[in-house]
């Protein structure tokens, strides 16, 4: 559903996005040629294998990034939050999306066409540099994720997933915690394990005092101990 367009120059998440170093004229052009959209939980922005129809900049909310796995089960590669860009990794030859992206809570995004995106990239070295930096960071995160899935026991993988969630939801020590709009199955997919094992590990971590939660409300994360568990921080 389309919403009134927020302006890129005054966007509250610009500083943590690929647009942070873009000059004012590029931001104004972008503001005039985008649509501001709302996706509800469960709606997909991108579908793996389908043609790319646009580039999305997340303004608020969380999306899960997936690829198809065995027996139709998705493999969750990562979660994307405010400031992330989606849809820019289409294959040049087929114009197909290599990934799927689904809203895990109310998601507000700014969308531009792929044709307009290509024009902006040519006009703005700062935007091109930001995109390349984003791609390199994504590659690094996927590599770390692959190492965790291959070499770490379940407890360490769950701890790594919790750290990822705490960072994405901007958890602050001493705060009232965060309400995570993820199902246990989502967390299991992210950690590469089963829902039952996730529940068991969460209970164990809570008994050890490393986390405190009730349902989807995570009231406390001991970030230092979780980082120590993963040994990959």
């Amino acid at each position: 559903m389309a919403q009134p367009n927020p302006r890129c120059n005054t966007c509250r998440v610009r500083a943590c996005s690929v647009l942070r170093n873009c000059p004012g004229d590029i931001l104004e052009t972008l503001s005039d040629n985008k649509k501001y959209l709302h996706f509800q939980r469960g709606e997909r922005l991108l579908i793996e294998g389908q043609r790319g129809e646009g580039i999305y900049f997340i303004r608020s909310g969380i999306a899960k990034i997936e690829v198809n796995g065995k027996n139709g089960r998705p493999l969750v590669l990562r979660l994307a939050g405010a400031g992330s860009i989606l849809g820019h990794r289409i294959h040049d030859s087929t114009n197909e999306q290599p990934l799927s992206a689904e809203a895990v809570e109310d998601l507000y995004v700014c969308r531009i066409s792929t044709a307009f995106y290509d024009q902006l990239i040519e006009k703005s070295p700062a935007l091109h540099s930001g995109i390349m930096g984003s791609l390199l960071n994504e590659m690094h995160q996927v590599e770390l994720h692959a190492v965790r899935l291959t070499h770490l026991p379940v407890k360490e993988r769950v701890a790594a997933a919790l750290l990822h969630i705490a960072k994405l939801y901007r958890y602050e020590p001493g705060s009232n915690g965060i309400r995570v709009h993820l199902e246990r199955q989502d967390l299991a997919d992210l950690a590469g394990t089963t829902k039952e094992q996730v529940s068991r590990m969460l209970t164990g971590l809570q008994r050890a005092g490393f986390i405190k939660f009730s349902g989807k409300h995570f009231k406390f994360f001991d970030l230092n101990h979780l980082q120590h568990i993963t040994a990959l921080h």
Side-chain angles (χ1 to χ4, degrees), residues 142-154:
V142 169
E143 288 169 350
L144 282 181
H145 188 57
V147 169
R148 293 185 185 111
L149 293 182
T150 304
H151 297 291
L152 293 186
V154 173

Side-chain angles (χ1 to χ4, degrees), residues 10 13 21 55 63 86 95 102-103 109-111 124-125 127 146 148 175 177 180 184 194 203-204 208 213 217 229 231:
T10 56
V13 299
N21 295 320
I55 311 298
L86 304 174
N95 199 32
E102 179 182 312
V109 302
C110 295
R111 178 189 179 276
S124 176
L127 178 57
R148 293 185 185 111
S175 69
V180 176
R184 287 291 182 265
T194 65
T203 298
F213 69 96
H217 183 195
I229 289 172

Side-chain angles (χ1 to χ4, degrees), residues 77-152:
L77 299 179
R78 61 187 176 89
L79 302 174
S84 298
I85 181 173
L86 304 174
H88 57 303
R89 292 181 54 187
I90 57 175
H91 294 300
D92 291 336
S93 58
T94 63
N95 199 32
E96 292 181 352
Q97 292 291 347
L99 308 166
S100 294
E102 179 182 312
V104 298
E105 62 183 53
D106 280 348
L107 195 66
Y108 290 88
V109 302
C110 295
R111 178 189 179 276
I112 59 175
S113 69
T114 51
F116 179 66
Y117 168 79
D118 291 338
Q119 294 174 14
L120 278 185
I121 290 292
E122 291 183 2
K123 291 180 180 178
S124 176
L127 178 57
H128 184 268
S129 176
I131 295 294
M132 293 305 297
S134 176
L135 287 171
L136 290 172
N137 181 63
E138 287 179 24
M139 290 173 60
H140 177 63
Q141 294 303 319
V142 169
E143 288 169 350
L144 282 181
H145 188 57
V147 169
R148 293 185 185 111
L149 293 182
T150 304
H151 297 291
L152 293 186

Side-chain angles (χ1 to χ4, degrees), residues 42-52 56 58 62-69 72-80 85-91 96-104 107 138:
E43 287 190 281
R44 288 195 167 189
L45 296 75
L46 309 174
I47 299 177
E48 183 180 351
Q50 291 194 2
R51 291 179 61 83
Y56 299 86
I58 298 181
I62 305 294
K64 58 180 178 180
I65 313 303
E66 304 173 328
V67 293
N68 291 327
R73 287 292 307 155
L75 173 62
V76 179
L77 299 179
R78 61 187 176 89
L79 302 174
I85 181 173
L86 304 174
H88 57 303
R89 292 181 54 187
I90 57 175
H91 294 300
E96 292 181 352
Q97 292 291 347
L99 308 166
S100 294
E102 179 182 312
V104 298
L107 195 66
E138 287 179 24

